[in-house]
Amino acid sequence: MPLDPSSRPPSTAPLATPRALVTVTGGDRPGVTARLFTAIAEAGSARRAIEVVDVEQVVVHGQLVLGVEVTAVALDGAEPDDEPSFLARLARLATEVADATGMQVQVDSVDEEERQNGRGHHVIVLGRPVPPEAVAGAASAIAGIGGNIDAIRRLSDYPVVSFELTVSGGESTALRTALASVAASTGADIAVEPVGLARRSKRLIVLDVDSTLVRGEVIDELAARAGREAEVSRITAAAMNGELDFAQSLRARVATLAGLPVEVLDEVRERLVLTPGARTLIRTLKRLGFRCGIVSGGFTQITDPLAEELGLDFAAANTLEVADGRLTGGLVGEIVDRPGKARALVRFAAEHGIPLDQTVAVGDGANDLDMLNAAGLGIAFNAKPFVREQAHTAINQPYLDAVLQVLGFTRDEVLDAT
């Protein structure tokens, strides 16, 4: 006999209510967390409260990233807030907290499907300019794998134009594969990163030197002074493309330098040309609290003075052997090869107490791959195809500070930091 429906207790199944992520970033100081949660409590009312669903906080070297997921809760039979009303309330709250604390406070909508499937992805499209077909192709590719574009914002208009698409739905590998085809066909750069606090909690970066931080290859310049440039260039190209073991190729190239006077190192160093945007990238990240370093398959006689000039926190490279004022054609100490670069990143992060998932590595050659994959985010910069295919993401713009947009920093934030 069926039960009398009138005798059933009221359903306790939750109504669909809007959710949002409130993210606070900036230099840590006392009272920020208390101020945010006080504002959340005060933003509720007798009939519509705001409930905290999840909290995550990271402080690294004085830089705070605090994320609070909240939802609207209807009380005493009241109708729940619709999403626009809820987000408007949170926008007012964000302004109040930002004014009171001097922090940056951002509010992002989080829908239930996105919450169940993870927080989606940021897709960053970069170009000079961004061709319309790149945005159209990205949008089609996202839809083709079942994703949805929830928001679009401009990150920068100089030196590159970049847009950030916030995408819900879609699996990471399928998304990267689909967008890689769009990038190849349109000439735009398209980077993909998971949405979440981890993106803005990065606090350490290491850069390769030759063809990344500086233009060209130092060893090619040295070989030119020894009259062996063509021979060394062939070996360098093969090593960077992954066709030769790096340590063996390095020893072979260094052997061609035997007999060069040590003064040549100073001459080559003085002629180095930094990649456009290198100083801006380092200056901005240091002021944002990052630890910055270089890890190179090149030579300490070049990289150590460069690190000092740029105010870097860390440098690792090989050391050329010198005897009687001339290069011997040999090396001294541990070889910084492909595995050595990854070990240097791990050592650098450990020295500063920074987890690897909060690190960034940037490089262009096959010998950078272990380092790129060990970092929380590995960026192939104007890299060989072999490297681009295996890195987390790739940039083919000529400006090194485009890395800032991949990290989610807007042009205004860069200007504020410089």
Side-chain angles (χ1 to χ4, degrees):
M1 181 176 179
L3 295 172
D4 179 359
S6 64
S7 67
R8 295 177 182 172
S11 171
T12 57
L15 295 173
T17 56
R19 292 175 181 263
L21 179 67
V22 182
T23 306
V24 180
T25 58
D28 192 27
R29 64 201 69 184
V32 173
T33 303
R35 182 68 187 86
L36 174 63
F37 278 87
T38 299
I40 290 172
E42 293 175 347
S45 67
R47 303 193 70 192
R48 291 187 177 89
I50 297 179
E51 182 178 286
V52 175
V53 177
D54 194 12
V55 181
E56 186 174 350
Q57 178 172 312
V58 177
V59 179
V60 181
H61 291 287
Q63 294 296 309
L64 169 71
V65 181
L66 168 61
V68 182
E69 186 178 336
V70 295
T71 186
V73 178
L75 306 173
D76 298 329
E79 290 292 323
D81 272 344
D82 59 20
E83 183 172 74
S85 299
F86 182 54
L87 293 178
R89 261 205 292 168
L90 292 177
R92 292 192 293 272
L93 175 155
T95 300
E96 293 169 4
V97 173
D99 290 344
T101 63
M103 308 290 279
Q104 298 177 32
V105 185
Q106 181 174 323
V107 176
D108 297 294
S109 175
V110 178
D111 64 33
E112 185 62 21
E113 180 181 355
E114 180 182 350
R115 203 174 75 87
Q116 294 297 329
N117 297 328
R119 288 201 170 130
H121 300 84
H122 292 299
V123 173
I124 305 96
V125 185
L126 307 96
R128 293 185 305 144
V130 172
E133 56 267 28
V135 178
S140 297
I142 291 165
I145 63 161
N148 184 65
I149 299 174
D150 299 327
I152 300 177
R153 65 168 179 155
R154 186 179 72 178
L155 292 176
S156 64
D157 57 2
Y158 179 85
V160 298
V161 176
S162 60
F163 300 100
E164 179 185 80
L165 286 62
T166 302
V167 176
S168 59
E171 189 270 330
S172 291
T173 301
L175 182 62
R176 292 178 191 277
T177 300
L179 292 172
S181 296
V182 176
S185 64
T186 63
D189 286 344
I190 304 180
V192 180
E193 282 200 76
V195 170
L197 290 179
R199 185 188 192 204
R200 294 300 291 265
S201 66
K202 299 289 191 298
R203 287 295 173 263
L204 180 147
I205 188 169
V206 292
L207 302 161
D208 173 45
V209 176
D210 293 359
S211 299
T212 299
L213 181 64
V214 303
R215 289 177 165 176
E217 299 283 331
V218 167
I219 197 165
D220 289 350
E221 295 292 329
L222 293 172
R225 305 300 180 94
R228 308 285 290 275
E229 183 178 15
E231 176 185 350
V232 167
S233 292
R234 285 194 298 272
I235 300 173
T236 299
M240 292 299 98
N241 285 324
E243 298 167 10
L244 291 177
D245 172 79
F246 181 82
Q248 292 178 335
S249 72
L250 177 64
R251 292 187 186 280
R253 287 176 288 170
V254 169
T256 68
L257 308 180
L260 278 178
V262 71
E263 291 80 12
V264 168
L265 295 171
D266 294 330
E267 296 172 8
V268 169
R269 186 177 64 248
E270 290 170 2
R271 291 171 59 88
L272 288 179
V273 177
L274 290 174
T275 300
R279 291 186 187 277
T280 299
L281 173 67
I282 293 168
R283 182 172 61 245
T284 301
L285 291 181
K286 286 184 68 68
R287 291 186 179 178
L288 290 170
F290 273 66
R291 296 288 183 174
C292 301
I294 50 178
V295 178
S296 174
F299 311 114
T300 57
Q301 289 94 335
I302 302 292
T303 58
D304 285 354
L306 181 62
E308 183 177 357
E309 176 192 343
L310 295 173
L312 300 178
D313 304 295
F314 179 85
N318 298 294
T319 299
L320 292 166
E321 186 178 55
V322 178
D324 299 324
R326 293 185 178 274
L327 303 186
T328 68
L331 295 166
V332 178
E334 180 185 357
I335 298 294
V336 180
D337 55 3
R338 176 170 167 170
K341 283 192 166 189
R343 289 194 297 270
L345 165 64
V346 172
R347 185 170 69 249
F348 181 24
E351 287 175 0
H352 295 285
I354 297 176
L356 281 176
D357 62 4
Q358 293 177 12
T359 66
V360 182
V362 185
D364 73 300
N367 65 318
D368 295 313
L369 275 172
D370 288 5
M371 177 177 75
L372 297 182
N373 289 320
L377 176 64
I379 301 174
F381 179 73
N382 288 317
K384 287 70 178 173
F386 174 78
V387 180
R388 291 200 302 268
E389 292 167 3
Q390 298 187 55
H392 297 142
T393 194
I395 298 174
N396 295 311
Q397 302 300 320
Y399 302 104
L400 195 55
D401 52 344
V403 168
L404 294 167
Q405 278 68 66
V406 175
L407 294 175
F409 295 107
T410 66
R411 177 67 178 166
D412 287 343
E413 288 173 316
V414 172
L415 292 175
D416 288 344
T418 56

